Amino acid sequence: MIQKQELLSLIEACRSVRRLRQLHGLMVATALVRDVVPLSRLIDFCVDSRHRDIAYARALFARVPAPTTYMWNSVIRGLSDSDEPEAALALYADMLRHGRSPDHFTFPFALKACSRVPDPSFGRCVHGRVVKAGYEADVYVSSTLIHMCVSCGDIPSATSLFQNAVNRNIVTWTTMIAGYAETDRAGEAIRLFSEMELEGVEPNEITMVHVLVACAQSRDLETGRRIHARLRRAGAESIPSNLVLATALVGMYARCGSLKTARHLFDKMTVKNEVSWNSMISGYNQYGRPNEVLQLFKEMRDAGLKPDKVTLLSLLGACADIGALPLGQEIHACVEKTIGSGDVAIGTALVDMYAKTGDAPSALQIFASLEGRKDVMAWTSMILGLATHGHGKAAIDLFVEMTQHGVAPDDITFIGVLTACSHAGMVDEGRKYLEAMEKLYGMEPRMEHYGCVVDLLSRAGRLAEAERIVRSMPIEPSTTIWSSMLSGCGIHGDVALAGRIGDQLAQSKPQSGGTSVLISNIYAGAGRWQEVDEARRLMWKKGLKKTHGCSSI
């Protein structure tokens, strides 16, 4: 008859579930089937990620009359890592009902399951048990508690737990830094990293990756460079071959606008995955380099990698920027074959691409297909597209429909609305929507909003109103705003206002040759040749030249 030690050795050497079942059958034929040690090893084998068979592990566990805490922990651990973390929480509750006391291994597994569901209510119950059992000071338990709060979106509780933690190790610090980075609190993540350095805690690779993500989010190039320098000192030659670190560095430099450095690091990488390519492609897209986006995508395909959602979003953005409708249609076909246009982000990008390339019917068709899933970005893209291509009335009607659906506009939406009013000559509506920004939605109008309304009023000949708005602006008017007013002065022959604007511009720095030419032309149109001569002489004296027009087509 097989001995216990021999059986344990066979289980240790086992490499397949099929062989394990044979060993289980051998145990059934002997008294060893009631021995908790071999049974625990069988369960461990089944929950191991290399051979995972959770169903068999649960079947084994169910046949044990009095499972040990170790067995409970093993199955809870396996379920917390599986596709059904809810089952881990149910088993944890069963463990309590059976009178078993969780230990410092049980709690992290249960908290991990809470994080994955996520279930903050259950997490608070587990936290209560942790306090009652006296495991709050356990560094592993406290770290998973913090991670659970972060995963459930409860950053204040995570911060409180971190600040009150008796023992902190690199896992605790990294968990909190990652929590801040993952919830768009980049500044707090970077601040905490600096605090960690001051306390002499040595960061690991995972810490560095999360801090680089925070630097990318906050466009903190200075801190990102400092992290890079630290990594170089630790092992300069290993960075290009470290996929995770190198990708994080590329993403940081790309999002901070240091595209040359990002591309240099990207080209040096020995191994690249979809995330690496997307980091570089997204950087080019973010900073208006559509040709580089399309070229890098070609290289990505040549390398045998397929585009994912992130890639497709960048490609659609590039097509929108350069007005490449045929290429955009090809990418749309690729979208339909892969992930479909039902995704809100992809659908919005398609609406934006078709709208910017002048295909309003296709943009409206995609927009309509989003049905009840339209967010403010989808509505805004459609409004901007209609407004830009001369469909001002339709854009305003769509804005009204948006508000009726309970979607709150943002400042970009109002740029579209005011642009629509300007293009359609809807003067009173433009004034009304500018006032609504502050009074109804509590938004402070930006330069672009004032610019649209000033342009609208100036072209309509309501120059006194336009001047009042400009004089009351809480920010210094841009050259574009002054140019709009001067264009209105030229159309409606208001030489006096043009003179006042000229006096105002003479005191500003830097000065624009374009506005000086507009003023000179207004004087010429009124036959005031002495003022024309003075304006031209002043331009020559200050070295101002008219900016020549150009086209990217």
Side-chain angles (χ1 to χ4, degrees):
M1 186 173 69
I2 191 168
Q3 299 300 308
K4 177 179 176 178
Q5 198 55 47
E6 184 184 355
L7 178 62
L8 291 175
S9 297
L10 289 170
I11 295 173
E12 185 70 29
C14 186
R15 293 292 178 271
S16 70
V17 175
R18 181 171 177 273
R19 174 59 177 157
L20 187 87
R21 294 188 181 202
Q22 292 174 345
L23 294 173
H24 183 209
L26 188 61
M27 287 172 63
V28 170
T30 67
L32 290 173
V33 73
R34 292 185 294 274
D35 193 311
V36 295
V37 177
L39 279 171
S40 296
R41 297 288 177 83
L42 289 178
I43 292 170
D44 282 345
F45 182 94
C46 291
V47 300
D48 187 284
S49 59
R50 292 169 298 176
H51 319 101
R52 181 161 294 161
D53 190 338
I54 295 294
Y56 199 71
R58 295 180 77 173
L60 286 168
F61 179 79
R63 286 171 172 76
V64 181
T68 62
T69 299
Y70 181 90
M71 288 181 174
W72 284 99
N73 288 346
S74 292
V75 183
I76 291 171
R77 171 170 64 88
L79 290 168
S80 71
D81 287 329
S82 73
D83 294 332
E84 44 180 343
E86 300 90 347
L89 300 181
L91 193 62
Y92 169 82
D94 280 346
M95 181 182 184
L96 298 180
R97 281 194 290 270
H98 280 77
R100 279 284 176 184
S101 297
D103 61 15
H104 62 294
F105 291 110
T106 321
F107 290 124
F109 300 146
L111 289 166
K112 182 178 182 180
C114 291
S115 300
R116 293 193 61 216
V117 172
D119 190 336
S121 178
F122 203 107
R124 286 191 288 271
C125 293
V126 177
H127 186 189
R129 280 277 176 176
V130 168
V131 175
K132 187 177 179 181
Y135 285 116
E136 269 190 306
D138 184 283
V139 68
Y140 188 30
V141 174
S142 66
S143 296
T144 49
L145 263 172
I146 292 168
H147 182 255
M148 182 274 295
C149 291
V150 166
S151 299
C152 294
D154 188 359
I155 294 297
S157 293
T159 303
S160 176
L161 284 166
F162 176 82
Q163 291 172 343
N164 295 320
V166 178
N167 300 308
R168 297 176 189 164
N169 63 4
I170 185 58
V171 176
T172 318
W173 285 93
T174 301
T175 300
M176 196 67 246
I177 289 169
Y180 284 139
E182 289 165 6
T183 53
D184 295 327
R185 291 172 170 84
E188 292 172 80
I190 293 167
R191 177 195 55 76
L192 194 61
F193 175 72
S194 299
E195 187 181 323
M196 185 185 92
E197 287 185 303
L198 289 173
E199 292 202 12
V201 180
E202 191 65 26
N204 60 21
E205 180 183 310
I206 299 170
T207 319
M208 294 299 211
V209 167
H210 285 297
V211 177
L212 287 168
V213 168
C215 291
Q217 289 174 350
S218 60
R219 311 295 189 269
D220 188 348
L221 184 58
E222 183 182 346
T223 302
R225 282 173 172 160
R226 183 164 61 82
I227 300 296
H228 189 190
R230 181 171 183 156
L231 289 168
R232 280 200 299 264
R233 289 194 299 272
E237 299 304 319
S238 64
I239 293 176
S241 60
N242 187 318
L243 178 62
V244 177
L245 265 181
T247 299
L249 281 166
V250 169
M252 183 276 294
Y253 279 115
R255 289 190 67 180
C256 290
S258 189
L259 296 174
K260 187 175 180 180
T261 305
R263 186 57 189 264
H264 175 71
L265 287 168
F266 178 80
D267 289 339
K268 285 178 68 177
M269 289 178 67
T270 55
V271 180
K272 301 182 184 86
N273 61 7
E274 287 87 349
V275 180
S276 315
W277 287 94
N278 285 339
S279 295
M280 196 66 245
I281 289 172
S282 297
Y284 280 136
N285 184 54
Q286 180 185 343
Y287 287 96
R289 304 274 287 273
N291 293 322
E292 284 88 341
V293 169
L294 300 175
Q295 177 58 37
L296 202 57
F297 171 61
K298 181 179 180 299
E299 293 175 26
M300 179 182 177
R301 280 196 307 186
D302 291 343
L305 292 168
K306 293 182 179 179
D308 61 10
K309 176 181 171 179
V310 178
T311 325
L312 293 167
L313 287 170
S314 293
L315 291 171
L316 289 169
C319 292
D321 286 344
I322 60 175
L325 179 58
L327 181 57
Q329 290 169 329
E330 287 182 34
I331 295 167
H332 186 184
C334 177
V335 166
E336 295 295 349
K337 289 177 184 175
T338 52
I339 60 177
S341 57
D343 180 272
V344 175
I346 288 288
T348 301
L350 283 166
V351 168
D352 187 59
M353 184 273 294
Y354 279 119
K356 286 182 178 176
T357 53
D359 189 351
S362 294
L364 284 165
Q365 185 179 358
I366 298 291
F367 180 77
S369 72
L370 294 174
E371 296 175 343
R373 292 168 291 122
K374 305 182 189 87
D375 59 10
V376 65
M377 289 182 66
W379 287 96
T380 299
S381 293
M382 195 66 248
I383 289 168
L384 277 166
L386 290 170
T388 304
H389 290 283
H391 305 288
K393 182 65 169 60
I396 297 300
D397 290 343
L398 194 63
F399 174 75
V400 172
E401 185 183 340
M402 170 185 173
T403 57
Q404 289 171 347
H405 278 78
V407 180
D410 60 16
D411 59 327
I412 308 298
T413 315
F414 276 104
I415 290 175
V417 170
L418 294 171
T419 300
C421 291
S422 182
H423 286 192
M426 301 165 71
V427 184
D428 293 329
E429 288 84 351
R431 287 298 310 269
K432 180 186 77 173
Y433 286 122
L434 183 68
E435 290 175 8
M437 281 189 71
E438 290 187 272
K439 293 179 179 178
L440 292 181
Y441 298 99
M443 297 181 201
E444 188 73 32
R446 299 204 321 258
M447 190 73 75
E448 296 89 341
H449 304 110
Y450 286 116
C452 288
V453 176
V454 169
D455 179 64
L456 173 60
L457 292 168
S458 298
R459 285 194 285 113
R462 291 163 64 168
L463 292 162
E465 261 185 276
E467 186 178 15
R468 281 197 298 274
I469 287 178
V470 171
R471 302 294 180 194
S472 66
M473 283 171 58
I475 48 180
E476 187 70 25
S478 65
T479 301
T480 304
I481 286 180
W482 290 123
S483 296
S484 295
M485 286 193 68
L486 287 170
S487 295
C489 291
I491 294 168
H492 300 284
D494 194 332
V495 182
L497 178 56
R500 291 200 298 274
I501 293 172
D503 293 339
Q504 176 84 27
L505 290 173
Q507 301 169 22
S508 64
K509 291 182 181 180
Q511 294 179 18
S512 166
T515 53
S516 297
V517 170
L518 282 170
I519 293 168
S520 174
N521 290 343
I522 291 168
Y523 284 137
R528 295 168 60 168
W529 301 109
Q530 185 177 346
E531 283 90 341
V532 172
D533 187 54
E534 288 174 1
R536 296 286 180 175
R537 199 185 301 277
L538 186 64
M539 281 183 67
W540 176 81
K541 185 178 179 181
K542 294 188 175 182
L544 300 176
K545 293 181 179 179
K546 182 179 178 180
T547 304
H548 295 288
C550 64
S551 172
S552 61
I553 298 175

